[in-house]
Amino acid sequence: MVRKNNFAMLIAGDELEHTDAIRKYYNYLTREVKFNPDRIYIYTDGDPYYVLDKVEHVFKEAKNKASNEPVGFIYEGHGGEGFFSPSTTGQNSNIPYQKLARLCDTEVGFLFVNNTCHSGSCIQIFKEMGILPKRGLVITSADSTELSHSDYFAT
């Protein structure tokens, strides 16, 4: 059951369709699920910080303020086998899932919705690092070798 004091991290890739999808998730979380907007963090391409620094911050906030509640994070963007890529260049491109998994290895649980090509490749990595199934849950839009083009909240 989702509660209003959960934290969420929404990460958009570098195309308009990605930011539109993240906007739809935000609207769903705030309007339908009644998340507190102050507990939803958003990354879009062009933000100057390293996206994993923000993910780490969200986990720390959740641990300090809602330690019994899982963190939800959603990624809409590009990816490949073993990585996700919110930006096409720079520090936020081709980020290995191992780096993300290390941040998820905390006593705060998580739900990761990964909507990217080859998104299923994160599952084996999270399992090998001991994150799944004990720390959280991952939902992917593709297997590890598959392309993905979808929009969860199409109207």
Side-chain angles (χ1 to χ4, degrees):
M1 173 187 221
V2 176
R3 296 178 181 90
K4 296 176 190 173
N5 62 340
N6 287 70
F7 282 82
M9 176 73 193
L10 310 178
I11 304 168
D14 62 351
E15 293 183 21
L16 182 59
E17 68 182 286
H18 305 144
T19 55
D20 284 348
I22 289 301
R23 180 184 43 80
K24 289 177 186 178
Y25 278 114
Y26 178 85
N27 290 340
Y28 172 76
L29 290 173
T30 56
R31 295 176 186 167
E32 302 296 325
V33 184
K34 307 297 185 201
F35 260 56
N36 179 345
D38 294 336
R39 292 186 174 217
I40 300 174
Y41 294 83
I42 298 174
Y43 169 86
T44 57
D45 184 45
D47 286 346
Y49 55 82
Y50 184 43
V51 70
L52 292 184
D53 287 345
K54 186 61 87 172
V55 171
E56 182 176 32
H57 172 76
V58 171
F59 273 111
K60 285 180 181 177
E61 285 288 294
K63 181 180 177 183
N64 292 335
K65 297 178 180 174
S67 62
N68 294 324
E69 305 299 331
V71 172
F73 62 102
I74 300 168
Y75 174 62
E76 285 277 338
H78 295 293
E81 290 187 51
F83 68 89
F84 68 110
S85 194
S87 296
T88 52
T89 61
Q91 65 182 351
N92 289 312
S93 64
N94 302 336
I95 301 170
Y97 284 121
Q98 288 89 343
K99 288 185 177 185
L100 179 61
R102 280 187 210 103
L103 298 176
C104 296
D105 193 13
T106 152
E107 53 274 358
V108 176
F110 69 90
L111 168 63
F112 177 28
V113 177
N114 190 10
N115 187 17
T116 181
C117 294
H118 310 284
S119 56
S121 66
C122 74
I123 293 174
Q124 188 59 37
I125 293 167
F126 277 49
K127 283 181 177 178
E128 288 170 1
M129 295 184 69
I131 310 303
L132 292 179
K134 70 178 183 175
R135 297 283 186 218
L137 176 66
V138 176
I139 299 172
T140 66
S141 60
D143 70 23
S144 62
T145 61
E146 188 175 35
L147 300 180
S148 175
H149 305 279
S150 66
D151 188 358
Y152 290 115
F153 293 105
T155 55

